[in-house]
Amino acid sequence: MYHLIILALALSVLQQQSLPTAGDIQAALIRGDFLYFEARFADSISLLQPLDAALEAQADRIPERIAIKRSLALAHIGLNELDAGKALFADIVQLDPTFSLAPERFAPKVIKIFEEAQAENRNSCVTICNAAVRERRAGNVDVALQQVRSAPQCACSTAVTLDVAETVYRQGIELYKQSNLQDALKEFRKALSLAPQHELARQYVQLIQEKNRVAAEQHLLEWRKNFTAGDFAKAAAAYRDLLSISGEGGTTVLEQVRNEYQKALASFVGSWTEACGKHDGVEMDRVRQQAIQMVPEETVGREFLARMGSCASKRPCIRVDSAMMLSRIRSFTPFSSPVVQVFEGRVVRVQINIDENGNTSVEQLSGGNTVIDAFLKSALEEWKFVPTIVDGQPRCVSTEMKLQL
């Protein structure tokens, strides 16, 4: 029953999507070995397979994975499932190319199958590494890297990776000689990622970073000179130079420049808003065009330019005498309704607004009731007036009328 308890524990761990502990693994391995020596191979496989699956992606638990796979391989060979046993031995060799089985502890049949798995792995590694070397010599370093990264267990992959790192470093040197510092920096960093101990690549990274820092300060001075002088085209060019080394010594300086742009744009928004409040369309257009000319790229000015898109400010309506407004009626609906007859003689005060297009809206009614108010609102909002023009522009007007039904 003990092995069933261990199996239940392993399955429970998997179902809860949590990893088995080192103690769980050790207990299962001990029980698995006992089952193996009792020739209960199928029980041993049932016990260990869930644990093997649970640890499949755990790169930090290689020794436990190897121990489980070794016990599984022995159990499969015990059932005469030789291909399954060899596949598990192949997994072990890929996890640790130096792993070996002591001939004095295992049957010749087991040793033979393990050695076959080793030989097949070596042949596979040689094929992969030779292909990687050919790609590297052809200048296809990325393809070469893909080859060796597909077989990290191969001993030859380390040498090929270092060889590729050297090739990448030399490409960086050529770019550096051409004054293409930013692309050279990418190559030197790539070389370092492949070979962290490549001291020359590290020195070139530090050298280019220092050059970028000095260049950023020079671009900042050039930008400030042109920006202060109002030469926004040259300032934008200096900004783009800074942008090209962003993250390589120019990040802090670039943030300073962006902050200066934002302050200036905020000032433009303030001027535009003031002009909007005065309904000064000429000034609004002038301010917005100046802001557009100043912006070095869309991302810097998008928010501020959007705020200068349309003027939503409305001037207050002009108060006008009702007699004058009645003289400007273009069309109206007569008060002909049973409501008028029922409430004949009732006096109602009405405040209306007439917009720039002559349309009427009822703002307030007093002296009536719910029925009268609904009727008058509906009738009055059908009235049309000749627009009122002030200083050459149509204006909203407000008036109060006394109506007797």
Side-chain angles (χ1 to χ4, degrees):
M1 289 295 294
Y2 181 67
H3 75 282
L4 295 178
I5 295 174
I6 296 295
L7 176 58
L9 174 62
L11 291 173
S12 174
V13 166
L14 288 177
Q15 289 169 354
Q16 296 173 13
Q17 295 185 333
S18 59
L19 294 174
T21 66
D24 296 333
I25 299 298
Q26 185 63 28
L29 286 170
I30 291 173
R31 184 58 185 170
D33 286 346
F34 176 79
L35 293 171
Y36 174 77
F37 287 115
E38 284 194 338
R40 293 164 60 184
F41 306 124
D43 288 342
S44 180
I45 292 170
S46 297
L47 172 66
L48 297 174
Q49 258 182 348
L51 300 177
D52 183 47
L55 296 183
E56 189 63 34
Q58 303 304 307
D60 58 336
R61 301 182 71 172
I62 300 299
E64 291 170 306
R65 291 170 61 188
I66 289 175
I68 292 171
K69 289 179 184 294
R70 188 210 64 172
S71 294
L72 281 170
L74 294 175
H76 278 290
I77 293 171
L79 291 173
N80 208 34
E81 297 171 350
L82 305 186
D83 288 342
K86 184 189 290 188
L88 286 159
F89 280 147
D91 289 345
I92 292 173
V93 173
Q94 289 179 5
L95 291 171
D96 180 6
T98 66
F99 182 85
S100 62
L101 292 178
E104 65 275 11
R105 293 186 55 195
F106 297 95
K109 177 181 179 180
V110 172
I111 297 298
K112 180 176 181 294
I113 293 172
F114 177 74
E115 289 176 347
E116 288 175 359
Q118 276 186 315
E120 289 175 8
N121 181 70
R122 280 195 298 269
N123 292 336
S124 175
C125 285
V126 169
T127 300
I128 291 172
C129 289
N130 285 344
V133 169
R134 286 195 299 272
E135 294 293 347
R136 194 273 304 166
R137 289 174 179 170
N140 303 322
V141 293
D142 289 334
V143 177
L145 283 175
Q146 289 176 4
Q147 293 277 2
V148 294
R149 285 170 177 167
S150 69
Q153 77 282 355
C154 296
C156 58
S157 66
T158 300
V160 176
T161 300
L162 293 175
D163 196 20
V164 171
E166 186 63 25
T167 300
V168 172
Y169 165 76
R170 289 172 186 168
Q171 291 175 347
I173 290 293
E174 291 304 313
L175 291 167
Y176 184 87
K177 290 177 180 178
Q178 298 166 20
S179 298
N180 189 346
L181 299 186
Q182 307 319 313
D183 286 343
L185 183 59
K186 292 177 184 176
E187 294 301 300
F188 292 135
R189 282 182 166 159
K190 186 174 182 180
L192 275 176
S193 70
L194 298 171
Q197 305 306 317
H198 202 302
E199 192 57 33
L200 288 176
R202 188 181 308 281
Q203 290 175 12
Y204 271 104
V205 166
Q206 294 170 349
L207 176 62
I208 294 175
Q209 286 178 329
E210 180 60 20
K211 284 178 176 287
N212 281 336
R213 187 191 65 77
V214 173
E217 294 295 336
Q218 292 173 341
H219 292 322
L220 175 61
L221 292 174
E222 182 69 14
W223 175 86
R224 197 174 297 283
K225 179 186 73 174
N226 292 308
F227 187 78
T228 303
D231 192 339
F232 297 134
K234 289 184 178 178
Y239 172 86
R240 287 190 288 272
D241 288 336
L242 271 173
L243 198 61
S244 70
I245 57 173
S246 174
E248 309 301 343
T251 300
T252 303
V253 175
L254 187 64
E255 287 304 314
Q256 292 178 27
V257 171
R258 282 177 172 161
N259 288 338
E260 291 294 326
Y261 272 120
Q262 289 170 359
K263 288 179 183 177
L265 286 166
S267 177
F268 278 129
V269 170
S271 299
W272 184 90
T273 302
E274 183 179 349
C276 171
K278 296 177 180 178
H279 293 270
D280 188 342
V282 174
E283 178 64 8
M284 289 162 57
D285 288 341
R286 186 194 68 79
V287 172
R288 193 171 194 280
Q289 286 304 314
Q290 192 173 0
I292 291 172
Q293 291 173 9
M294 187 187 69
V295 171
E297 64 168 349
E298 183 185 1
T299 57
V300 173
R302 183 188 298 122
E303 174 191 348
F304 297 94
L305 293 177
R307 288 159 63 183
M308 292 185 276
S310 61
C311 181
S313 174
K314 296 191 69 173
R315 291 174 289 189
C317 294
I318 302 170
R319 292 289 295 183
V320 177
D321 180 77
S322 61
M324 179 182 292
M325 287 312 303
L326 288 172
S327 70
R328 299 179 64 82
I329 291 180
R330 177 179 288 169
S331 64
F332 69 98
T333 301
F335 296 153
S336 57
S337 168
V339 172
V340 177
Q341 298 173 4
V342 172
F343 297 102
E344 187 174 358
R346 180 73 66 92
V347 176
V348 181
R349 289 185 178 277
V350 183
Q351 182 180 325
I352 63 172
N353 286 347
I354 297 106
D355 68 15
E356 292 86 344
N357 297 314
N359 299 311
T360 304
S361 61
V362 176
E363 299 298 315
Q364 188 175 354
L365 289 159
S366 60
N369 55 41
T370 304
V371 176
I372 294 173
D373 290 351
F375 165 72
L376 288 178
K377 185 176 189 328
S378 175
L380 287 169
E381 289 187 347
E382 294 293 324
W383 290 16
K384 303 294 181 183
F385 290 80
V386 175
T388 300
I389 306 299
V390 178
D391 296 330
Q393 292 186 340
R395 291 292 301 274
C396 167
V397 296
S398 175
T399 190
E400 185 176 298
M401 297 186 294
K402 185 168 68 173
L403 302 175
Q404 183 174 3
L405 301 179

